Amino acid sequence: MFGLTTTDMVRDLADEEILARSQKEPWIFAVLLDRYQDAFMRKARGIVRSEEDAEEVVQDAFTKIYQNAHRFEVRTDSSFSSWGYRILMNTAFTRYQKLKRERGRVLPAEHEIVELVGSDRGEIERRDHEDAVTRVLERLPGHFAVVLRLHYLERWSHKDIAAQSGETVGTIKARIHRAKASFRKEAKGSEAELLVR
């Protein structure tokens, strides 16, 4: 009878333990790549809308995750998954903004962006609204855009955002409030202004 291989045993470990052990045993990190590669690609494609750009985003995100593994703290209110997705989303949005600058146009936005302001007026209007919202979000300071995306688009709770950022829930609530005010100010006079609830 054959026993389990070392690789099989590692595959049964929790994400957080694999991440910690990968600092001394780099080969173990491949297990996290296997677990999250497809889901990360789907999310990245939804933002940058290009297979090639999405692949670069995912590669950069995994590199950042590995390089910053020592900063991840295991807590009951946080998980590797939420921490990893935060890194992926920040990397994807940074790439999106770079592509917009390089190409001189607005790229199609992820469908969920429209939920930040609400729209139920048909497909053509929905696309126009997505572009309007995207243009406004890109003018916001990075910390405001990130917190709005995490809370409204990714459905992160105030507590989850606070846990990952190391800040208090009160600080996060205040930042979201200021970010919404900043969004409304940036949207003033544009199509997006009419969409803000």
Side-chain angles (χ1 to χ4, degrees), residues 141-155:
H143 61 290
F144 281 170
V146 167
V147 78
L148 285 177
R149 291 179 194 278
L150 287 177
H151 186 61
Y152 288 103
L153 307 184
E154 295 301 305
R155 306 278 193 257

Side-chain angles (χ1 to χ4, degrees), residues 118-181:
S119 172
D120 59 352
R121 302 175 188 161
E123 183 66 16
I124 293 174
E125 286 187 351
R126 183 186 66 77
R127 288 181 184 170
D128 289 343
H129 296 166
E130 284 180 356
D131 286 346
V133 171
T134 300
R135 286 192 295 271
V136 173
L137 287 176
E138 288 177 350
R139 292 196 303 266
L140 296 181
H143 61 290
F144 281 170
V146 167
V147 78
L148 285 177
R149 291 179 194 278
L150 287 177
H151 186 61
Y152 288 103
L153 307 184
E154 295 301 305
R155 306 278 193 257
W156 285 36
S157 68
H158 295 128
K159 186 177 177 183
D160 288 340
I161 299 172
Q164 290 306 314
S165 68
E167 298 171 304
T168 66
V169 171
T171 298
I172 296 303
K173 286 182 178 178
R175 182 169 301 144
I176 289 172
H177 179 75
R178 290 194 308 271
K180 284 164 55 176

Side-chain angles (χ1 to χ4, degrees), residues 17-29:
E17 188 172 349
I18 292 171
L19 183 67
R21 286 182 56 177
S22 72
Q23 296 302 285
K24 292 183 179 177
E25 303 170 85
W27 67 270
I28 292 176
F29 192 75

Side-chain angles (χ1 to χ4, degrees), residues 5-180:
T5 66
T6 304
T7 303
D8 290 334
M9 290 186 284
V10 169
R11 290 187 191 286
D12 292 335
L13 296 176
D15 296 337
E16 294 78 9
E17 188 172 349
I18 292 171
L19 183 67
R21 286 182 56 177
S22 72
Q23 296 302 285
K24 292 183 179 177
E25 303 170 85
W27 67 270
I28 292 176
F29 192 75
V31 176
L32 291 176
L33 288 171
D34 289 344
R35 287 182 185 175
Y36 288 92
Q37 177 85 20
D38 291 343
F40 275 24
M41 276 297 294
R42 284 192 299 273
K43 184 58 72 176
R45 271 195 306 265
I47 296 167
V48 297
R49 302 295 175 153
S50 156
E51 189 77 18
E52 183 178 325
D53 291 319
E55 286 174 359
E56 288 185 27
V57 165
V58 172
Q59 182 178 355
D60 289 349
F62 276 123
T63 300
K64 290 174 186 175
I65 288 168
Y66 181 76
Q67 290 174 340
N68 292 287
H70 62 285
R71 295 183 180 178
F72 176 75
E73 294 179 15
V74 178
R75 293 184 289 201
T76 56
D77 60 348
S78 74
S79 66
F80 166 80
S81 177
S82 60
W83 182 73
Y85 270 104
R86 178 178 178 225
I87 291 173
L88 173 72
M89 296 303 289
N90 288 341
T91 304
F93 291 130
T94 299
R95 179 73 176 177
Y96 177 93
Q97 290 173 340
K98 181 182 176 190
L99 291 171
K100 180 181 180 291
R101 285 192 305 271
E102 288 175 353
R103 298 175 185 177
R105 63 182 177 83
V106 175
L107 301 170
E110 194 173 39
H111 174 70
E112 291 91 354
I113 287 176
V114 134
E115 293 179 17
L116 176 63
V117 292
S119 172
D120 59 352
R121 302 175 188 161
E123 183 66 16
I124 293 174
E125 286 187 351
R126 183 186 66 77
R127 288 181 184 170
D128 289 343
H129 296 166
E130 284 180 356
D131 286 346
V133 171
T134 300
R135 286 192 295 271
V136 173
L137 287 176
E138 288 177 350
R139 292 196 303 266
L140 296 181
H143 61 290
F144 281 170
V146 167
V147 78
L148 285 177
R149 291 179 194 278
L150 287 177
H151 186 61
Y152 288 103
L153 307 184
E154 295 301 305
R155 306 278 193 257
W156 285 36
S157 68
H158 295 128
K159 186 177 177 183
D160 288 340
I161 299 172
Q164 290 306 314
S165 68
E167 298 171 304
T168 66
V169 171
T171 298
I172 296 303
K173 286 182 178 178
R175 182 169 301 144
I176 289 172
H177 179 75
R178 290 194 308 271
K180 284 164 55 176

